[in-house]
Amino acid sequence: MALGRRVKNLQSSIRGSQIIAAIGIGVAIGCVFAFLFPHGFFSTNQLTKVRHVSDSNSEVDAASCESTEKIDLLKSDIRRLSDKNAALKRQVRELNEKMRLAEQGNQQAHDQVKVLNEPHKAGPFGTVKSLRTNPTVVPDETVNPRLAKILAKVAVRKEIIVALANSNVREMLELWFTYIKKAKIPNYLVVALDDEILEFCKANDVPVYQRDRDESVDAIGKGGGNHAVSGLKFRILREFMQLGYSVLLSDVDIIFLQNPFDHLHRDSDVESMSDGHNNMTAYGFNDVFDEPAMGWARYAHTMRIWVFNSGFFYIRPTVPSIELLDRVAGRLAREASAWDQAVFNEELFFPSHPGYIGLHASKRTMDFYLFMNSKVLFKTVRKDATLKKIRPVIVHVNYHPDKYPRMKAIVEFYLNGKQDALDPFPDGSQ
Ligand SMILES: *[C@@H]1O[C@H](CO)[C@@H](O)[C@H](O)[C@H]1NC(C)=O
């Protein structure tokens, strides 16, 4: 048994040493492999890659919702930023425009701005005066160098009479410039709307200017009736303003009897003749509207004035003046049935109100006896011994369709001393 046990022990010890040897060999082989393949048989990289892929797959799954949210956020961010950008651009544009307008002030403007900027105490009762003579813009010859050249030659003290004419009004135009010449007025200019008028003026030694070909505008001028031409007028006047000239705009159904530049006040953006026929209608009055049903408050007071005549007005080259021209031209272009004289007056007189910013231009009504419309002449003046002795500066045959014979009669009456020259005509038209 003891032997058996020993044999067994021996056997087991041999097996033990075999096992140890095997382990040793295994360890040695392991060491060799560990040395040769430090990263093992399989590329751990591949494994990590795989893991990564699977990781990122799971991330995509998780993040796909999250990133659409993020994209939406980014999109709205971009939208918000581009809105902001547009607003900023707009602000920059507005600032630039403001700077440009600010730079347009001349010395007078600077003085006025200085006065305005300095804090002022109001003076004693009755001595305070608000600003009504706005500063003129700085002339910009680049706007129309050709016109600038003509004006430099023809205008006097930066003032000029301007009329637009096409061949439909050739006869009246002839009377118009004949009596301007007779009144020894040198500073006037015809804007010829067609070649016939251009040649006609040249032949008569009348200062004339024809615009460059501009389809949109010329189409109006050529075939246009009175109202279409009126719209064009406001556009053309803008260039005169930008060049720094004050314009006395004149229709051609007007006889000049004196030099109007001796009779202007020049204290307002717009100084205009009136369609009114007496102090009230020409200069404004309180018109009481009666509504008996209101009892105690039956009388409502209204402000009334007969319109400024958009066929004869003096306009100074100021920012409010140019804004007026732009507003009128803009509305005439947009509103097919608009009448230029109505639009001109609405823009000048309506105050700011909800949804509307009024124009803040200063205005003056010309003396309606000196700058006379044909209603005043035929209804009142010719029948009044005293009024008949006043020599008007101009007479505008605006109230009567038989313009040409009435213009000639006005010449006879005022210039040739024919006391009965006006008699054959009725007060109104029949
Ligand atoms: C009209 O106004 C002028 C001056 O503003 C004045 O001299 C004249 O008497 C007035 N005429 C009438 C009829 O009131």
Side-chain angles (χ1 to χ4, degrees):
M1 283 297 287
L3 179 75
R5 207 182 264 167
R6 217 188 281 153
V7 169
K8 250 188 186 165
N9 280 350
L10 186 67
Q11 278 180 341
S12 67
S13 76
I14 287 171
R15 203 180 289 156
S17 58
Q18 276 178 336
I19 288 169
I20 286 166
I23 288 170
I25 289 165
V27 168
I29 290 171
C31 286
V32 168
F33 274 101
F35 179 74
L36 289 178
F37 302 98
H39 298 297
F41 287 120
F42 306 105
S43 162
T44 44
N45 280 347
Q46 272 182 355
L47 282 174
T48 21
K49 256 187 206 155
V50 169
R51 197 183 313 124
H52 271 196
V53 168
S54 68
D55 278 353
S56 55
N57 272 340
S58 60
E59 263 171 28
V60 164
D61 289 342
S64 60
C65 304
E66 198 185 323
S67 61
T68 31
E69 263 170 43
K70 263 187 189 159
I71 286 167
D72 285 348
L73 271 176
L74 277 173
K75 272 184 183 166
S76 78
D77 274 0
I78 288 168
R79 244 195 324 276
R80 199 162 40 77
L81 282 173
S82 59
D83 283 355
K84 235 184 201 170
N85 195 25
L88 274 173
K89 272 187 186 160
R90 202 164 44 239
Q91 278 175 2
V92 167
R93 248 200 325 275
E94 283 169 6
L95 270 175
N96 280 341
E97 181 67 5
K98 272 185 191 156
M99 297 255 293
R100 198 179 60 74
L101 291 178
E103 280 165 9
Q104 281 177 339
N106 58 6
Q107 192 50 46
Q108 187 192 0
H110 291 151
D111 293 348
Q112 287 187 333
V113 167
K114 220 176 82 195
V115 167
L116 285 174
N117 284 347
E118 280 168 9
H120 266 66
K121 285 182 184 167
F125 174 80
T127 65
V128 293
K129 293 273 183 291
S130 71
L131 202 64
R132 54 185 78 70
T133 310
N134 285 310
T136 55
V137 298
V138 168
D140 179 3
E141 294 210 347
T142 61
V143 167
N144 189 335
R146 193 164 60 86
L147 180 59
K149 232 181 197 171
I150 295 173
L151 290 176
K153 233 186 318 178
V154 181
V156 174
R157 286 189 295 272
K158 293 236 141 194
E159 293 180 323
I160 190 152
I161 299 170
V162 173
L164 274 67
N166 61 22
S167 31
N168 297 337
V169 296
R170 201 179 64 100
E171 280 191 315
M172 281 195 285
L173 178 67
E174 187 170 13
L175 282 182
W176 182 83
F177 66 64
T178 298
Y179 294 97
I180 284 182
K181 288 179 179 180
K182 206 153 226 161
K184 298 195 165 54
I185 302 164
N187 47 332
Y188 68 103
L189 181 70
V190 173
V191 177
L193 299 177
D194 55 35
D195 296 340
E196 190 190 325
I197 289 297
L198 179 70
E199 295 312 318
F200 181 62
C201 287
K202 283 181 179 168
N204 286 280
D205 205 17
V206 166
V208 64
Y209 161 70
Q210 191 175 35
R211 285 169 56 85
D212 288 329
R213 290 279 174 269
D214 174 346
E215 276 90 28
S216 58
V217 168
D218 274 6
I220 308 169
K222 282 235 173 65
N226 253 352
H227 288 183
V229 171
S230 300
L232 175 66
K233 170 168 91 185
F234 297 97
R235 288 175 181 272
I236 292 177
L237 277 185
R238 189 188 214 280
E239 290 189 350
F240 287 79
M241 299 286 105
Q242 284 179 285
L243 295 174
Y245 289 85
S246 295
V247 172
L248 182 58
L249 188 281
S250 173
D251 281 353
V252 293
D253 52 350
I254 287 176
I255 298 291
F256 284 75
L257 302 166
Q258 302 184 55
N259 190 332
F261 294 111
D262 298 337
H263 300 271
L264 296 175
H265 290 259
R266 301 178 175 84
D267 63 349
S268 304
D269 296 308
V270 178
E271 192 170 341
S272 178
M273 77 170 288
S274 172
D275 270 5
H277 54 269
N278 55 23
N279 280 2
M280 283 169 65
T281 57
Y283 306 145
F285 66 107
N286 179 1
D287 191 22
V288 182
F289 175 79
D290 185 8
E291 197 174 357
M294 288 302 292
W296 177 76
R298 62 184 289 175
Y299 302 115
H301 294 255
T302 72
M303 308 311 303
R304 292 192 76 187
I305 187 167
W306 263 228
V307 290
F308 278 7
N309 188 293
S310 61
F312 191 88
F313 60 87
Y314 176 76
I315 184 163
R316 295 179 57 250
T318 65
V319 169
S321 296
I322 295 171
E323 188 183 353
L324 171 69
L325 297 174
D326 288 357
R327 289 168 79 134
V328 174
R331 275 189 59 191
L332 292 175
R334 288 192 303 274
E335 303 165 24
S337 60
W339 180 32
D340 75 291
Q341 181 158 282
V343 172
F344 179 71
N345 278 273
E346 286 169 11
E347 293 299 332
L348 263 178
F349 286 94
F350 285 169
S352 300
H353 54 254
Y356 179 79
I357 308 285
L359 181 76
H360 297 268
S362 55
K363 42 213 173 273
R364 162 181 282 279
T365 310
M366 290 172 171
D367 185 312
F368 70 91
Y369 286 129
L370 294 183
F371 297 88
M372 194 185 288
N373 64 55
S374 56
K375 178 154 88 180
V376 170
L377 176 61
F378 286 95
K379 244 190 79 177
T380 318
V381 169
R382 67 168 171 169
K383 300 170 188 170
D384 185 301
T386 316
L387 294 177
K388 264 172 99 168
K389 292 196 189 102
I390 300 172
R391 173 180 284 212
V393 177
I394 62 129
V395 180
H396 187 180
V397 188
N398 61 321
Y399 269 106
H400 300 90
D402 48 345
K403 292 173 187 293
Y404 190 76
R406 286 191 195 241
M407 284 172 81
K408 288 187 87 166
I410 288 162
V411 168
E412 292 300 312
F413 180 78
Y414 281 112
L415 294 176
N416 300 335
K418 275 182 89 173
Q419 285 299 302
D420 60 351
L422 301 173
D423 296 351
F425 299 93
D427 286 4
S429 50
Q430 289 167 330

